[in-house]
Amino acid sequence: MRKIVSFVHVSLDGFVASTAEGPASLAWISISPDLFEFVEQRIQQTDTALYGRTTYQMMESYWPTAADKPDASPHDHAHSRWYKSAHKVVLSKTLLEKNHPNTQIISRNLSDEISKLKRNEGSEILMFGSPSATHSLMVE
């Protein structure tokens, strides 16, 4: 059975975001070459990403074209390539299943759908961020 591995940036006092709006709200996270290296090693072991709606929309707005930018970093190239090929699963009650390539949206029967996902063929499932989705899985 596949396992779900979760990556959530959390401060020592338990916060997963700042009060700022938009991409700057992630400014408190310590980004380093070591973090990028760790993430690149992990994504090589998986074929599926699990997100909540908010994190998915943030990822979808950046990663599909990140490698196309003139100043794209090696990490941008590696993660963009993986993101485009990875199967994406989104936990959302509001997102519709339209125009989301290689993406499955789970909006109900969370426990049953996650169990099916874990029984499917493939490697481990990585969950990025998504504090609300993480909470939903913990209470299921």
Side-chain angles (χ1 to χ4, degrees):
M1 182 169 289
R2 299 166 78 183
K3 66 180 177 176
I4 298 175
V5 177
S6 181
F7 290 111
V8 178
H9 293 285
V10 61
S11 63
L12 292 175
D13 56 358
F15 287 92
V16 294
S18 73
T19 57
E21 294 291 326
S25 66
L26 299 176
W28 64 274
I29 298 171
S30 178
I31 304 295
S32 70
D34 290 340
L35 176 63
F36 289 154
E37 182 180 334
F38 177 75
V39 170
E40 287 174 28
Q41 289 172 2
R42 293 302 306 187
I43 63 175
Q44 298 308 314
Q45 300 172 44
T46 190
D47 58 0
T48 303
L50 178 62
Y51 302 108
R53 179 194 51 80
T54 302
T55 302
Y56 170 73
Q57 289 176 319
M58 192 170 59
M59 298 293 197
E60 190 66 14
S61 72
Y62 184 77
W63 288 114
T65 60
D68 301 336
K69 295 177 175 42
D71 60 344
S73 70
H75 173 70
D76 287 341
H77 285 280
H79 202 85
S80 180
R81 185 172 40 257
W82 174 80
Y83 182 86
K84 288 190 277 189
S85 68
H87 177 65
K88 290 162 277 297
V89 178
V90 183
L91 307 182
S92 176
K93 294 179 181 173
T94 59
L95 194 62
L96 302 177
E97 291 201 42
K98 295 180 182 177
N99 303 317
H100 302 287
N102 202 18
T103 302
Q104 171 188 356
I105 299 171
I106 298 175
S107 59
R108 57 182 174 208
N109 302 324
L110 183 59
S111 184
D112 292 340
E113 293 299 321
I114 293 297
S115 291
K116 285 181 202 173
L117 181 65
K118 290 169 69 175
R119 286 191 302 268
N120 287 345
E121 291 293 320
S123 58
E124 68 186 16
I125 302 159
L126 288 180
M127 181 174 209
F128 291 93
S130 306
S132 295
T134 299
H135 184 260
S136 295
L137 292 175
M138 291 187 326
V139 297
E140 264 305 306

